[in-house]
Amino acid sequence: MLPTRTTIILLAVAALGLLLLGRGALPAQAPPAVAPPPAAPPSPYTAPDWHAVLAGTDPLRLLVVGHKAMLAWKGDADVRVSYAATDADVYTAHAGEQVGVVRTPEGGCALRQEGKNFLTVTEAFRLTSPKPILLWTPQPETWRIVHGPVVITPLADNTFGIAQELLLEDYLRNVVCGEMPASFHAQALRAQAIIARTYTLAKLGRHADEGADLCDEVHCQVYGADANRSRATDEAVADTRGLVLMYGDTLAEAYYHATCGGVTDDAGLVWGPEYARPYLVGGTKDSAVKESAAIGDILCASGGYCKRSNGYRWTRVFSATEVNELVSRNLTKVTGDPAAKMSKVVNMNVEERTPNGRVARLRVEGDGASYVVIGDQARWLFGTGDPGPEGLWSTLFDLTVTRDARGAITQYTFKGAGRGHGIGMCQWGADGRARAGQSYREILAAYYPGTKVVTGK
Ligand SMILES: [Zn+2]
Ligand SMILES: [Zn+2]
């Protein structure tokens, strides 16, 4: 990322702070020049050790919903409430009896029935029942059926985080069917199961501020409906039980995406240097792409392990008016620069690409100013400004800007390849490789060079 005006100001403030607090700058007896900042509220949840989760001795917590100021539950059998840390009894409701919990203005929590608070609870608590638990949350009003223990954590913003506890292998059965079509080849499903297991263990505690490990959406991994599970997806999890992807002694950060469009890319170049890893270097060829090929040649390359994907090649056309609206709405967000505002674009061009052809820098000029949009942010400029399906499907695109006789822009045409960020495993490519006879080990070795599939301990 380029330093923005805000980061420059923050750096200046930090430098001033160092001067004020520098040991040599103050006499020995002087009081501190700056009061220490107030301690941050403690994280409500400490993630379990990944070895214990892999062994099945500790469950993981899947975020059901975060930041609700109240909720209620009931069950077809007794629902026991106990403190999550100690398992000490709090209250047990009989079958069909509905209990609510609210945050109180003082920052506490109270169990509630028939319009009255009847019991104060002081920390995270667990609901357990021999039958599924029916959970109600407001705004929007939702009833959910949850199979298994539910942990409710009071959060720092005076709301609750609600998480389901489940064992890794049970969780993975719904993730594999949520992240990959069950019709994919058995070896591709096995590769998916291994990287979903690895990704899960590497990301435990990602939602600790909401009292959970992972959420059930694209942000972490999609937790598919039971109806999407099949014998093939269940077998992929069971047959790879305990297998993880390691780089040396550490779990690999096994990012994956739908379709590379012909060639994968380098995490450090697409997302920024903090994401660079020796095994996320990209350059894995899913089609007959030559080294450092021009974008036009990549788009024309023949064959392709991921060519069955509907995102293998795509075209999107925007009018000048549409792009002006998108840029005026999203430029601040995608550049991270509060001063980046523009109402009329007069020029847009790809200024730099990664060695594998993805857009590294997109130049946008207008209103007498000029900005650069970096890497994957170029996709979100043409959507909502945030990651999502509305943006461009990939940054592996060629941009043609059409102008009228007076030189004013009339149209933007994006011809692209692939769907997703292009880092790590290409899911459609994994299926293509499996159909061509590759094993899940060969598939993973291709997309994460230097890693090993091992039985985690
Ligand atoms: Zn998440
Ligand atoms: Zn691919």
Side-chain angles (χ1 to χ4, degrees), residues 257-264 286-287 305-307 312 426-430 447:
H257 60 282
T259 312
C260 74
V263 61
T264 65
D286 270 3
S287 66
Y305 286 120
C306 48
K307 70 176 177 216
Y312 186 60
C426 163
Q427 291 174 300
W428 280 92
Y447 291 117

Side-chain angles (χ1 to χ4, degrees), residues 68-73 99-102 127 135-138 152 160 162:
K68 294 289 177 188
M70 61 174 83
L71 68 143
W73 60 85
V99 181
V101 67
V102 293
L127 310 179
L135 271 181
W136 173 87
T137 48
I152 296 163
F160 294 104
I162 305 162

Side-chain angles (χ1 to χ4, degrees), residues 107-191:
C109 330
L111 298 191
R112 189 173 168 86
Q113 252 176 350
E114 291 167 8
K116 286 200 187 72
N117 295 351
F118 69 93
L119 195 64
T120 300
V121 282
T122 51
E123 55 189 85
F125 59 93
R126 180 181 288 113
L127 310 179
T128 42
S129 178
K131 290 192 175 169
I133 297 168
L134 199 54
L135 271 181
W136 173 87
T137 48
Q139 293 174 330
E141 182 162 352
T142 309
W143 286 95
R144 291 181 181 79
I145 298 171
V146 183
H147 301 263
V150 176
V151 175
I152 296 163
T153 306
L155 307 181
D157 63 356
N158 219 28
T159 64
F160 294 104
I162 305 162
Q164 181 184 358
E165 274 187 331
L166 68 183
L167 294 174
L168 176 66
E169 301 297 316
D170 294 335
Y171 163 72
L172 289 174
R173 281 198 288 273
N174 289 64
V175 169
V176 169
C177 74
E179 290 282 352
M180 189 176 259
S183 59
F184 272 26
H185 192 283
Q187 293 298 316
L189 290 168
R190 278 158 181 71

Side-chain angles (χ1 to χ4, degrees), residues 206-207 215 219-220:
R206 193 177 189 197
H207 287 269
C215 72
H219 175 257
C220 289

Side-chain angles (χ1 to χ4, degrees), residues 63 199 206-207 210 213-221:
L63 187 67
Y199 186 89
R206 193 177 189 197
H207 287 269
E210 292 162 288
D213 289 301
L214 293 102
C215 72
D216 59 1
E217 295 168 10
V218 179
H219 175 257
C220 289
Q221 297 184 113

Side-chain angles (χ1 to χ4, degrees), residues 429-440:
D431 184 51
R433 286 170 185 270
R435 285 166 196 268
Q438 294 188 18
S439 68
Y440 66 77

